[in-house]
Amino acid sequence: MGDHKEQQPVRVGAAVRRRRRALELTLAAVAERSGLSVPFLSQVENDKARPSRTSLEKLADALRTTAVELLAAADPAASVDVVRAETLPEGDFDPRTRSLVRGHHQLHASEFTGDHDAGREFQHRNDELMYVADGAVEIEAEGRAYRLGRGDTLYLTGGVRHRWRATVPDTRIIVVAVAEHIEAVQDRSR
């Protein structure tokens, strides 16, 4: 079994649909602007057709963006990625952070081992989950302190200011968060 990343071509359909809807355009309006047919655009949005480079550029122009931006916002068609555990030298207890997900994805996951700057405050745009794999932590969020031990989980909605500190040596926590580039947070001012 390999440890490499296996990835298929990106699916641009969802990115096209999100952009079209953000501009409040119909498929017919995009077809008129781009010179592409409504059935073809529908197939692109449903990932049943892949646009050529020329068609993608026409589509991007119609959506007032670039082909590069549409591709950057595209979803991977299929992706499998293995991140192996690190082998640390005996007696190495230095604090460390390790990314558990590589690349540009909708979720970010990191493993924090040991302590870190307990005074550092975090505030993420999107939701976050903290899981204590080993040890114990104290998390301050929304003016309250939460003590978590091995196996405990804390869920924070986007925008919650928080800080944490390890209360036991060799603590290991896993943090999983919706990526900052994803529009997952609703406008709370409404």
Side-chain angles (χ1 to χ4, degrees):
M1 295 195 160
D3 293 347
H4 64 283
K5 186 170 189 170
E6 300 173 21
Q7 187 163 327
Q8 302 298 318
V10 295
R11 296 179 302 185
V12 74
V16 169
R17 183 181 305 107
R18 283 190 299 268
R19 179 67 181 169
R20 177 178 62 78
R21 287 180 177 167
L23 295 172
E24 298 180 352
L25 296 172
T26 64
L27 279 174
V30 175
E32 185 177 317
R33 289 180 175 194
S34 66
L36 302 170
S37 73
V38 170
F40 176 70
L41 293 174
S42 177
Q43 288 179 336
V44 167
E45 283 193 3
N46 290 299
D47 289 315
K48 296 189 187 299
R50 288 184 50 201
S52 66
R53 184 70 183 181
T54 303
S55 294
L56 186 60
E57 288 172 0
K58 288 179 182 181
L59 187 52
D61 288 345
L63 295 172
R64 291 185 239 141
T65 189
T66 65
V68 171
E69 289 294 320
L70 285 176
L71 290 171
D75 299 328
S79 179
V80 175
D81 191 14
V82 175
V83 178
R84 297 284 181 195
E86 292 180 344
T87 304
L88 301 175
E90 185 111 3
D92 182 0
F93 300 113
D94 290 338
R96 66 182 74 248
T97 303
R98 180 170 74 102
S99 181
L100 301 176
V101 178
R102 293 181 279 221
H104 191 70
H105 297 287
Q106 293 182 7
L107 287 178
H108 287 284
S110 297
E111 175 185 60
F112 295 89
T113 305
D115 209 351
H116 75 108
D117 178 5
R120 183 173 177 202
E121 187 174 70
F122 300 92
Q123 182 180 25
H124 302 287
R125 191 171 114 198
N126 293 320
D127 295 358
E128 176 178 341
L129 178 126
M130 300 175 84
Y131 170 76
V132 181
D134 285 311
V137 297
E138 184 174 272
I139 301 169
E140 182 184 318
E142 293 295 307
R144 291 185 58 196
Y146 301 88
R147 288 185 174 81
L148 280 70
R150 184 172 190 250
D152 290 341
T153 301
L154 180 78
Y155 184 86
L156 303 161
T157 58
V160 171
R161 291 182 185 278
H162 60 284
R163 68 181 92 230
W164 66 272
R165 68 181 184 89
T167 57
V168 172
D170 302 328
T171 291
R172 216 167 36 101
I173 69 167
I174 308 298
V175 177
V176 179
V178 176
E180 293 291 319
H181 71 277
I182 301 298
E183 295 291 334
V185 173
Q186 294 178 351
D187 183 2
R188 297 182 197 272
S189 63
R190 291 182 190 176

